[in-house]
Amino acid sequence: MKGFEELRTIKLEDDKVIMIDQTKLPHRLEFYECYTPEQVAEAIKKMIVRGAPAIGVAAAMGMALGAKLAAKNGRNVREELERVGKMMIGTRPTAANIAWAVNRIMKLTKENSDDKLLKLITREVNLMAEEDIERNKMIGVYGSKLIEDGDVILTHCNAGSLATVGYGTALGILRKAREEGKCFRVMACESRPALQGSRLTAFELKEDGFDVSLITDSMVGYVMSNSRVTKVLVGADRILSNGYVFNKIGTYQIAVLANRHNIPFYVAAPSSSFDLQHNYDEIEIEERSYDEVIQIGGVKIAPEGVNVLNPAFDLTPPELITAIICEKAIIYPPYDKNIRLTLLEK
Ligand code: MRU
């Protein structure tokens, strides 16, 4: 298998979208093909493709399929894009990237005539995929400045190649730091209930030859209090203009523990994950199926009929975050001033 550094999670081909089926990892590397926007939306919902930047680009690719099919069947392309865009936004509510991607495609419909539209959409979608990789590489360039020899870096969920089109955000920083010759170790939290940490991060890092140790989520306090962790580095699904960060459930408690132990807590994400419009109480935290909690690998691990909660994300407040790394800079507090300054600068 190719290293994850070069692997592409998702690709638009003529009449289909091809993606790595992440529900099959780490046991099998299989590809999943979608021929309609409905199939792409379903793949996003079922987390066949997942990770905020990856689902943003997947949604745009689904729109490109919708536009092509509409043109082929003599339906109105603009109306179809409107419909598919709404459907994509309805798949997973917490990550900022789907709305970002849909808005970018819809902007094209406003600025261009019908005859140009199809070509432009395909071009734009491929550009978005390439840009995603380039942005991640720039996040790596900035973020690697924070990594030192001897570090033990704790990460949560999967903010790697698999969460993006390629290279990864938080894990992209690790790739760059290693390329620069830095020696460090990684601790990956398993990230219950969907286990992105054990199934994806541990797999991705191990395949690429990183020194990675897997821990359960309940071990974070222990490894921090035993001075085994020097830095925390996570991705983000949505970052607000005042520095509030939505990320995988469990991130908030890691940030609180890092604060307790004076361990720097870093967040890495591209500009497509920033939301400068909303307040935190306006963002929906996705509630996923209870089966994710009461089963592991299809085996029941809880009593029949027990009450269950399954929020997929939580919110970390800015005072717990040491810095946010995006493709333009390392952003330090005060976030309510510096996020806008960094993202809106020419
Ligand atoms: O529910 P998922 O797997 O789509 O979760 C999103 C994420 O991958 C993480 O929260 C990640 O830390 C941010 S996306 C790079």
Side-chain angles (χ1 to χ4, degrees):
M1 191 180 111
K2 268 202 260 176
F4 274 98
E5 184 156 343
E6 270 135 65
L7 208 75
R8 296 294 167 256
T9 303
I10 184 158
K11 211 164 119 198
L12 175 67
E13 283 189 359
D14 229 13
D15 61 340
K16 62 183 177 227
V17 176
I18 307 179
M19 53 185 78
I20 293 177
D21 184 344
Q22 300 195 33
T23 63
K24 301 278 170 27
L25 292 172
H27 311 296
R28 291 191 301 278
L29 180 67
E30 283 181 15
F31 290 85
Y32 187 84
E33 297 188 346
C34 301
Y35 293 85
T36 65
E38 282 69 24
Q39 288 170 343
V40 176
E42 206 47 29
I44 294 174
K45 273 192 200 156
K46 289 185 173 155
M47 289 167 68
I48 290 170
V49 60
R50 36 83 26 219
I55 59 176
V57 175
M61 290 181 175
M63 291 179 83
L65 284 186
K68 278 188 192 179
L69 284 172
K72 193 170 152 197
N73 299 328
R75 284 182 287 123
N76 185 301
V77 172
R78 285 163 199 273
E79 281 172 19
E80 176 64 355
L81 284 168
E82 194 83 44
R83 182 190 76 82
V84 174
K86 279 192 190 129
M87 175 173 74
M88 292 300 171
I89 288 174
T91 54
R92 297 195 69 191
T94 310
N97 307 61
I98 294 188
W100 167 85
V102 170
N103 289 339
R104 193 157 149 178
I105 299 295
M106 292 315 287
K107 195 163 172 255
L108 283 181
T109 66
K110 291 186 187 105
E111 291 168 354
N112 295 284
S113 56
D114 280 9
D115 53 324
K116 289 197 198 135
L117 211 48
L118 272 192
K119 239 194 197 145
L120 286 175
I121 289 174
T122 308
R123 204 174 70 184
E124 188 75 358
V125 167
N126 288 327
L127 184 68
M128 286 160 86
E130 283 315 307
E131 274 177 12
D132 182 63
I133 298 166
E134 288 317 308
R135 285 178 177 156
N136 294 340
K137 290 192 170 164
M138 281 313 293
I139 290 173
V141 169
Y142 285 112
S144 65
K145 297 187 206 303
L146 300 166
I147 311 295
E148 294 157 304
D149 271 333
D151 268 342
V152 178
I153 301 154
L154 185 136
T155 190
H156 187 59
C157 194
N158 174 265
S161 289
L162 288 163
T164 62
V165 179
Y167 200 75
T169 53
L171 301 194
I173 291 175
L174 303 185
R175 290 185 206 291
K176 184 65 186 168
R178 183 171 73 167
E179 192 189 303
E180 289 171 348
K182 292 177 184 166
C183 264
F184 54 86
R185 289 170 50 216
V186 186
M187 285 207 191
C189 295
E190 67 174 348
S191 318
R192 272 282 284 151
L195 297 167
Q196 292 91 333
S198 56
R199 291 190 304 107
L200 309 176
T201 297
F203 179 58
E204 185 175 329
L205 291 179
K206 189 169 172 292
E207 285 292 318
D208 282 356
F210 285 87
D211 180 344
V212 56
S213 302
L214 178 64
I215 59 169
T216 67
D217 301 333
S218 51
M219 293 174 192
V220 172
Y222 175 84
V223 293
M224 285 186 179
S225 67
N226 282 282
S227 327
R228 296 208 188 141
V229 175
T230 56
K231 277 165 193 140
V232 177
L233 179 55
V234 296
D237 295 87
R238 186 184 293 254
I239 301 177
L240 305 185
S241 62
N242 48 9
Y244 277 86
V245 168
F246 290 85
N247 193 48
K248 183 51 58 194
I249 191 75
T251 303
Y252 170 59
Q253 64 200 28
I254 296 173
V256 171
L257 280 163
N259 183 264
R260 170 79 170 84
H261 295 286
N262 288 318
I263 296 169
F265 183 94
Y266 297 114
V267 176
S271 49
S272 53
S273 301
F274 284 72
D275 168 2
L276 304 186
Q277 254 109 55
H278 295 102
N279 236 321
Y280 61 77
D281 53 6
E282 295 172 297
I283 305 306
E284 183 185 341
I285 298 226
E286 180 184 4
E287 185 78 27
R288 292 190 62 85
S289 160
Y290 294 169
D291 285 347
E292 290 181 352
V293 178
I294 60 171
Q295 299 179 7
I296 294 186
V299 177
K300 279 234 165 75
I301 52 154
E304 208 59 57
V306 69
N307 290 331
V308 173
L309 302 179
N310 190 14
F313 301 96
D314 62 23
L315 181 60
T316 299
E319 62 272 18
L320 297 179
I321 300 168
T322 311
I324 298 172
I325 305 126
C326 74
E327 74 273 18
K328 297 187 171 198
I330 301 176
I331 311 173
Y332 289 98
Y335 297 118
D336 51 359
K337 178 170 156 242
N338 292 342
I339 286 179
R340 276 184 199 282
L341 267 181
T342 306
L343 290 191
L344 301 178
E345 79 181 0
K346 287 276 168 237

